[in-house]
């Protein structure tokens, strides 16, 4: 299996989502899964093993260019982590799963929502848009703020 992991932050950037993602990538690789990472550029990053794209920002133009440069047909899954501090706070983030679907309609998109219960109400619009164009959605913690229409494991 080949996975394209998309995360706004990744070590050495200080962010819990980035740390989680790095550990997930490590465990997936240990299990024999091939994982390529797309993340935010960081001049302090020395180890770029497995990182196939480092974006200067997460504007719609940057994300569209990144998708155009990636061999999307080589992946079995796009796994997107949201939010992450280093995505920035632009409305363009809401279009990431839509753009991925347009670029590679057959590529399944899984979105993991971290910290959903503390997301600002306006930010939930971004969450809704990302979820609308995803094939699967997971939240990292059960929250009363999660709509009852999402099915969560018991």
């Amino acid at each position: 299996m080949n996975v394209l992991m998309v995360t706004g932050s990744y070590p050495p950037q200080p962010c819990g989502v980035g740390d989680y993602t790095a550990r997930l990538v490590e465990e997936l690789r240990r299990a024999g899964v091939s994982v390529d990472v797309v993340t935010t550029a960081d001049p302090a990053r020395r180890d770029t093993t497995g990182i196939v794209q480092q974006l200067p920002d997460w504007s719609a133009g940057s994300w569209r260019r990144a998708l155009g440069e990636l061999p999307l047909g080589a992946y079995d899954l796009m796994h997107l982590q949201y939010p992450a501090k280093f995505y920035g706070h632009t409305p363009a983030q809401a279009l990431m799963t839509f753009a991925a679907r347009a670029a590679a309609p057959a590529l399944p998109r899984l979105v993991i929502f971290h910290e959903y219960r503390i997301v600002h109400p306006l930010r939930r619009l971004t969450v809704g848009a990302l979820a609308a164009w995803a094939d699967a959605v997971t939240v990292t913690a059960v929250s009363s703020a999660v709509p009852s229409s999402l099915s969560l494991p018991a």
Side-chain angles (χ1 to χ4, degrees):
M1 173 174 250
N2 297 314
V3 174
L4 180 63
M5 185 71 65
V6 180
T7 180
S9 57
Y10 201 70
Q13 296 161 325
C15 177
V17 173
D19 292 340
Y20 165 90
T21 304
R23 289 176 184 240
L24 177 59
V25 166
E26 181 181 317
E27 291 302 319
L28 287 170
R29 288 178 179 156
R30 188 172 299 159
V33 176
S34 173
V35 184
D36 289 340
V37 177
V38 174
T39 191
T40 307
D42 184 341
R45 182 175 289 119
R46 300 291 176 244
D47 182 9
T48 58
T49 305
I51 297 176
V52 295
Q53 286 278 351
Q54 294 190 72
L55 304 182
D57 60 56
W58 290 88
S59 66
S62 291
W63 181 234
R64 192 174 60 247
R65 277 189 302 279
L67 288 172
E69 294 171 5
L70 290 167
L72 295 176
Y75 297 105
D76 301 304
L77 175 71
M78 176 183 287
H79 194 289
L80 191 139
Q81 306 292 325
Y82 184 85
K85 176 180 172 183
F86 293 90
Y87 279 129
H89 300 289
T90 66
Q93 295 166 8
L95 300 174
M96 290 195 298
T97 52
F98 175 78
R101 185 175 189 168
L107 179 62
R109 293 157 308 282
L110 165 63
V111 181
I112 305 295
F113 292 115
H114 300 263
E115 306 162 349
Y116 182 84
R117 84 182 118 188
I118 61 171
V119 171
H120 186 277
L122 290 176
R123 205 106 207 258
R124 292 194 181 176
L125 295 172
T126 299
V127 168
L130 286 169
W133 296 101
D135 295 291
V137 171
T138 300
V139 292
T140 57
V142 175
S143 169
S144 60
V146 174
S148 60
S149 61
L150 287 177
S151 63
L152 299 173

